[in-house]
Amino acid sequence: MTHATSATTGASGLAQLPHLMGLMTGDEKHGPAATSTLDALWVLYDRVLRVSPATVADPDRDRFLLSKGHGPMAYYAVLAAKGFFPTDWLPGFGSYDSPLGHHPDRELVPGAEIGSGSLGHGLPLGVGTVLGLRAQGRTAPAVWVLTGDAELDEGSNHEALAYAGATGLDRLHTLVIDNSSASHARPGGIAARFGAAGWSVATVDGRDHEALYGAFSAPHPGRPHAVVARVEPKDA
């Protein structure tokens, strides 16, 4: 395998993403699940998160937890564009001997903070990460969790959402990709749900990079922050 590519930023990096996504072939790619996250992931890694290939072991880095782990092609494309691992890993996506599985593995994927699996685990892990950092006296790192709208049907996420709001975990941030795939959530009800639990919340167009950046960087003293990024419906 070759050495990792140099990190790219801004428009040049963004222009690479369709090519990098296209390198990942094979079955069971969960295409809509991947493409729905691409713009939001790029804005986070390009303009918000304080983490890079050089700081993946820095205890004061920001943490990004991919709870919506099925269909991780966009996540892998962004990490490759940012230089976390070589782009020549991408064509092997999902193969037996590839580190890039259908769910990210934190032991195999440079930059991945958690191993992904069953839906509903991301927010609880995010709460635990914030509390663990606080116990170490580390209050600078921001913790971001990317979930899907359907994951909010899970009781584990509901409990984490309620706890974080009640205890004012303002280093916790949740990005919800809303592609109208939830079985039980009411349309338009995601933001209200977070707001009722005491979170700061913004709803934006999940394809509008400036709107995403504005929502990601909005101040929210004393409260956790949720950004609901609306994208095209999953069955569109």
Side-chain angles (χ1 to χ4, degrees):
M1 294 182 179
T2 62
H3 294 293
T5 56
S6 297
T8 56
T9 60
S12 61
L14 179 63
Q16 286 191 50
L17 295 181
H19 168 68
L20 296 178
M21 291 275 284
L23 293 176
M24 288 173 276
T25 59
D27 298 327
E28 299 181 7
K29 292 188 292 185
H30 290 283
T35 56
S36 66
T37 69
L38 186 60
D39 294 276
L41 279 170
W42 178 253
V43 175
L44 271 178
Y45 272 90
D46 193 50
R47 302 174 66 179
V48 178
L49 293 173
R50 298 179 305 111
V51 64
S52 70
T55 61
V56 290
D58 185 340
D60 287 317
R61 72 191 181 279
D62 288 345
R63 273 72 166 174
F64 173 78
L65 282 56
L66 184 69
S67 185
K68 182 180 167 69
H70 57 295
M73 292 163 37
Y75 184 47
Y76 292 154
V78 169
L79 289 178
K82 287 298 181 181
F84 284 88
F85 57 77
T87 58
D88 65 0
W89 284 16
L90 297 175
F93 165 70
S95 62
Y96 177 76
D97 59 350
S98 172
L100 306 181
H102 292 296
H103 283 263
D105 184 329
R106 68 180 301 272
E107 297 295 329
L108 299 177
V109 180
E113 294 283 356
I114 60 172
S116 170
S118 300
L119 297 178
H121 70 298
L123 264 179
L125 287 174
V127 167
T129 301
V130 171
L131 293 176
L133 289 167
R134 179 187 290 179
Q136 298 172 42
R138 301 188 184 281
T139 57
V143 177
W144 282 84
V145 182
L146 189 154
T147 76
D149 57 328
E151 282 192 84
L152 299 181
D153 292 345
E154 300 285 347
S156 53
N157 272 341
H158 174 76
E159 292 176 5
L161 186 161
Y163 176 85
T167 54
L169 296 185
D170 59 4
R171 301 312 293 156
L172 180 65
H173 308 73
T174 298
L175 167 60
V176 183
I177 302 296
D178 182 6
N179 63 358
S180 303
S181 61
S183 298
H184 305 297
R186 291 175 296 174
I190 295 175
R193 181 175 177 184
F194 278 92
W199 290 58
S200 165
V201 60
T203 301
V204 297
D205 180 346
R207 301 303 186 190
D208 185 330
H209 289 206
E210 291 306 316
L212 285 164
Y213 176 70
F216 291 161
S217 56
H220 51 95
R223 294 193 290 169
H225 185 52
V227 176
V228 181
R230 289 180 172 167
V231 297
E232 56 278 5
K234 185 176 180 180
D235 58 356

